[in-house]
């Protein structure tokens, strides 16, 4: 499984925190939805399949939205950002396969999801939102 760097989640980390807001209303709404999906996944227990698919599909739709937005505004780092999206979707797929094959401990799953979600928002989505709002 790909290692995703970033902060480690406290136990109650999957509640949206306004400190993560980018200032772009639609991006922030979608991020809030990703937090909600993550919370459902982490509380789903042994029957996490549907919750995982919800998170995966919501993530894919969010990435599609961001990639369209970056193209529309001529964001200079859109290619690199889209590659990150592809890597993150691949990492999510690897996590799904690990869950199916051998289970993935709750804390490992929580840490992985939190790191990619918060890390991506802070490091990569804020600059996109800032560029979009400046147009």
């Amino acid at each position: 499984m790909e290692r995703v760097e970033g902060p480690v989640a406290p136990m109650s980390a999957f509640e949206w925190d306004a400190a993560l807001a980018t200032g772009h209303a639609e991006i922030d709404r979608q991020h809030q939805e990703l937090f909600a999906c993550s919370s459902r996944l982490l509380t789903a227990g042994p029957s996490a399949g549907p919750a995982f698919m919800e998170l995966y599909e919501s993530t894919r739709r969010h990435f599609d939205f961001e990639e369209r937005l970056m193209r529309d505004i001529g964001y200079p780092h859109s290619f690199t950002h889209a590659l990150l999206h592809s890597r993150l979707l691949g990492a999510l797929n690897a996590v799904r396969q690990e869950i199916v094959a051998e289970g993935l401990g709750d804390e490992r799953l929580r840490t992985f999801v939190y790191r990619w979600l918060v890390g991506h928002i802070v490091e990569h989505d804020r600059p996109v939102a800032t560029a979009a709002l400046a147009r």
Side-chain angles (χ1 to χ4, degrees):
M1 175 173 56
E2 179 179 343
R3 184 177 164 159
V4 178
E5 297 295 329
V8 176
M11 291 307 285
S12 62
F14 284 92
E15 293 180 15
W16 173 253
D17 185 335
L20 294 172
T22 65
H24 187 285
E26 182 58 19
I27 290 175
D28 289 339
R29 186 197 66 73
Q30 291 180 16
H31 287 162
Q32 290 173 35
E33 177 58 25
L34 291 173
F35 268 81
C37 290
S38 297
S39 290
R40 288 189 287 278
L41 171 62
L42 293 168
T43 59
S47 59
F52 187 88
M53 288 311 298
E54 178 190 25
L55 175 61
Y56 185 87
E57 289 302 319
S58 292
T59 300
R60 188 185 53 73
R61 282 190 304 273
H62 171 64
F63 288 171
D64 287 347
F65 171 81
E66 281 187 352
E67 289 169 21
R68 280 191 311 275
L69 177 64
M70 289 186 293
R71 278 191 305 273
D72 289 349
I73 66 170
Y75 186 65
H77 307 290
S78 61
F79 180 77
T80 303
H81 197 125
L83 285 176
L84 289 171
H85 287 168
S86 180
R87 286 181 56 209
L88 285 170
L89 287 174
L92 273 176
N93 234 356
V95 166
R96 182 189 59 78
Q97 291 172 0
E98 188 172 340
I99 289 170
V100 168
E102 61 194 60
L104 183 66
D106 290 347
E107 195 55 34
R108 278 186 64 207
L109 180 60
R110 174 181 295 280
T111 299
F112 171 80
V113 171
Y114 185 81
R115 282 182 174 167
W116 78 254
L117 183 56
V118 172
H120 189 76
I121 290 171
V122 170
E123 294 176 35
H124 304 287
D125 288 355
R126 280 187 178 156
V128 171
T130 299
L133 292 169
R135 300 240 171 220

